[in-house]
Amino acid sequence: MNEDESKAIAEILEELSTTSHVQVRSSAELADQVSKAAAEEDKKRLEDGRGPLRRRTDYRAVRTAPQSLALTPWQVIHAIGLGAAAARQGAGRGLAEHWGSLRYSQAMEANRGRYLQLSSEGRDLLRFYKATQSGEIGTGFASLLAENIVRSRYPDHSVSVIPADVALKAGWTLRSSGTDGRPEALQRRPHFFVEAWQPGQPSHVLLLASKGRHSSVRQVHKQLSTASAHVESVHIGPYGTVPYLLIGTEIPTKESLAVHVLEVPGATALRPPGKPSAPDLDLYLEQENRAADTVRPAGHGETTVPGFQIMPDSFAWFSSVLALTEAAALMAFTGGGKPTVQYLTKEQGKRHFQHDAYANTARLRDAEHTIHGIDFVGTDHIYRLNGTRVEAFSGLRRSLYLHLHHGRVNEYRREVHDLRGQWPDHSTSKQWNAVSVRADGTVMAIRLRGE
């Protein structure tokens, strides 16, 4: 590696650790524009001989939304990787898919006003890849904004963002079982459950539908109108009562990024009837085969429509589903394999984590690094960035890792909750060019690696 190459890569890594701002937009005007976009879409559907989409239409501006988020590109990449670790959305498996987040190492940079925008590398994409980029980057910003909003409302709680499809597979079959495919209402699902929790207490849950778009703000309005159909498919308790967030990330070619958000405020507490405390989370999760039906009020009676509904007598089960799905995602992030298997059912993808085999990663969960004085356990990934060797590390605080490795979810949640507010927020360290530490105890770091 010559001096010029080293300098160029060092500049890229420095950009990854530079704190910048992302605009957050939420207003009554935004809600009106999304409603208009929904009406236009349904009009076209009627003209095409299809019925209107079932949607939640009670959204409004988020009064507690921040005007902007202050974060680094590396924090966004960390959020993308963590969300992908257990979701298996692409051709990879677990950790291999998580490392796919590194493709965005050169995609974002700060402009002169210190607002995030696409870099020249991020703009220079083949057309077919833009949808993937916008969707994945959108999930990163959406999860970070959702955490910010929910944490501000529940300051004494911890907040987890859990992939909805993985959680739902513990109780329902999401794939098509017939030649006609799944009903449209089942094909459109929220992307995440956001859980505000305290150890031993019932959790508060809301839905999150995330979108991202390389286009004008008008296209974001259309995407948010579609997102209102995604959140309509899941109901926790009575029909239409679970709160939700709709978040769309606008990714212009030359201007700074902006995140648009709407919500239905409220609280859905997973409090099982006659049980004031939360369930034991160390229990093995059995696969269930639930009917994908939702009971909806109709006139003076009720009707059944396609959807996913969790009623109060299933709140204890669903609390376990959320906690164990998060545990699986955390273990997949640190290395996957057999420690992840214990937290997944067959339909959730247990078989995909049975073997410790991942491309370009020879050894798993054998790396230990001390960062900001904290011992972390995880996996190293050595790869080339523009021809130069770099090392990325993803891991979990050692004590928290040992809890989850041995199936102690209750102990993990107790300790990580006690640690809230104590995590370092430095974006670099003595040995690492870019560092991100999250409140769940995970770390993601990157540095130059000598030949």
Side-chain angles (χ1 to χ4, degrees):
M1 175 171 52
N2 62 45
E3 184 177 348
D4 289 340
E5 290 175 340
S6 177
K7 182 179 179 180
I9 297 301
E11 289 175 350
I12 291 172
L13 299 186
E14 180 181 1
E15 189 67 47
L16 287 174
S17 65
T18 300
T19 300
S20 304
H21 295 278
V22 178
Q23 302 174 69
V24 177
R25 298 173 180 171
S26 188
S27 64
E29 180 184 1
L30 174 63
D32 289 341
Q33 292 299 325
V34 172
S35 295
K36 290 179 181 178
E40 291 175 0
E41 181 181 10
D42 285 340
K43 181 180 178 181
K44 291 181 180 178
R45 290 174 61 88
L46 288 170
E47 292 172 351
D48 294 340
R50 299 175 294 168
L53 285 177
R54 281 171 34 205
R55 307 176 191 269
R56 293 286 297 269
T57 58
D58 43 359
Y59 43 78
R60 64 195 73 175
V62 183
R63 296 178 181 177
T64 58
Q67 292 186 342
S68 66
L69 290 176
L71 43 77
T72 69
W74 193 241
Q75 288 176 290
V76 181
I77 292 171
H78 187 172
I80 295 170
L82 186 60
R88 299 184 296 106
Q89 295 172 347
R93 293 184 302 165
L95 188 66
E97 190 160 88
H98 147 55
W99 289 126
S101 65
L102 296 176
R103 69 178 69 130
Y104 301 116
S105 295
Q106 301 178 74
M108 293 172 282
E109 65 183 8
N111 61 21
R112 292 181 180 179
R114 305 272 13 124
Y115 278 85
L116 272 181
Q117 65 178 22
L118 284 182
S119 64
S120 58
E121 175 84 12
R123 292 191 297 267
D124 188 20
L125 287 174
L126 293 175
R127 182 175 300 176
F128 71 85
Y129 186 63
K130 285 188 175 182
T132 300
Q133 185 202 60
S134 60
E136 290 183 338
I137 290 179
T139 61
F141 284 109
S143 63
L144 292 169
L145 177 56
E147 284 181 55
N148 180 289
I149 292 172
V150 175
R151 190 168 285 115
S152 71
R153 294 176 182 175
Y154 298 96
D156 297 330
H157 289 63
S158 294
V159 177
S160 300
V161 181
I162 299 155
D165 271 6
V166 183
L168 290 172
K169 286 176 182 176
W172 294 271
T173 299
L174 304 188
R175 63 181 181 272
S176 174
S177 58
T179 57
D180 295 331
R182 302 287 276 167
E184 192 167 26
L186 301 182
Q187 295 173 1
R188 301 175 186 271
R189 300 181 291 271
H191 300 90
F192 297 98
F193 293 105
V194 186
E195 180 190 15
W197 55 269
Q198 291 178 314
Q201 297 299 316
S203 297
H204 301 279
V205 180
L206 57 82
L207 312 178
L208 168 59
S210 164
K211 296 289 184 177
R213 186 76 179 191
H214 284 280
S215 191
S216 66
V217 68
R218 177 175 169 79
Q219 296 300 319
V220 175
H221 297 158
K222 291 182 178 181
Q223 285 203 319
L224 288 177
S225 72
T226 302
S228 67
H230 285 274
V231 294
E232 204 283 336
S233 66
V234 173
H235 301 269
I236 301 175
Y239 183 90
T241 59
V242 61
Y244 62 83
L245 290 167
L246 309 178
I247 300 180
T249 303
E250 179 187 359
I251 311 175
T253 302
K254 296 182 179 180
E255 299 174 358
S256 58
L257 283 77
V259 184
H260 304 261
V261 55
L262 296 170
E263 70 158 353
V264 160
T268 292
L270 297 180
R271 184 174 288 106
K275 297 180 180 179
S277 61
D280 183 0
L281 302 178
D282 291 346
L283 300 177
Y284 178 78
L285 187 62
E286 294 284 351
Q287 179 69 48
E288 298 205 8
N289 185 22
R290 295 172 171 244
D293 293 328
T294 296
V295 177
R296 181 174 68 175
H300 298 291
E302 296 177 334
T303 186
T304 300
V305 295
F308 309 96
Q309 188 167 28
I310 302 101
M311 296 303 288
D313 60 357
S314 296
F315 281 178
W317 168 78
F318 193 62
S319 295
S320 296
V321 168
L322 293 179
L324 299 185
T325 301
E326 181 191 30
L330 294 171
M331 295 310 286
F333 183 80
T334 62
K338 294 180 181 178
T340 307
V341 168
Q342 63 187 312
Y343 297 117
L344 296 172
T345 69
K346 178 181 177 181
E347 289 297 322
Q348 285 180 302
K350 175 181 289 191
R351 66 184 179 88
H352 295 280
F353 294 93
Q354 292 282 5
H355 305 288
D356 290 337
Y358 297 97
N360 302 321
T361 308
R363 294 179 297 177
L364 304 173
R365 304 180 306 279
D366 68 338
E368 298 191 26
H369 294 290
T370 300
I371 302 174
H372 299 315
I374 303 171
D375 294 332
F376 291 96
V377 177
T379 298
D380 283 318
H381 181 58
I382 311 298
Y383 72 107
R384 291 187 180 273
L385 183 59
N386 294 353
T388 300
R389 280 165 58 91
V390 295
E391 175 185 7
F393 169 68
S394 64
L396 184 64
R397 180 181 170 122
R398 181 177 178 81
S399 59
L400 300 174
Y401 172 85
L402 290 174
H403 287 321
L404 293 183
H405 184 88
H406 294 291
R408 301 191 297 260
V409 180
N410 290 313
E411 287 301 315
Y412 163 80
R413 286 208 157 188
R414 273 193 283 269
E415 182 174 339
V416 80
H417 184 71
D418 289 341
L419 289 168
R420 72 190 189 285
Q422 301 180 37
W423 299 100
D425 59 0
H426 308 299
S427 59
T428 63
S429 73
K430 186 176 180 180
Q431 295 180 317
W432 297 87
N433 296 84
V435 174
S436 170
V437 180
R438 290 172 55 88
D440 56 16
T442 59
V443 66
M444 194 164 175
I446 191 170
R447 64 185 175 186
L448 281 167
R449 174 94 174 187
E451 295 289 346

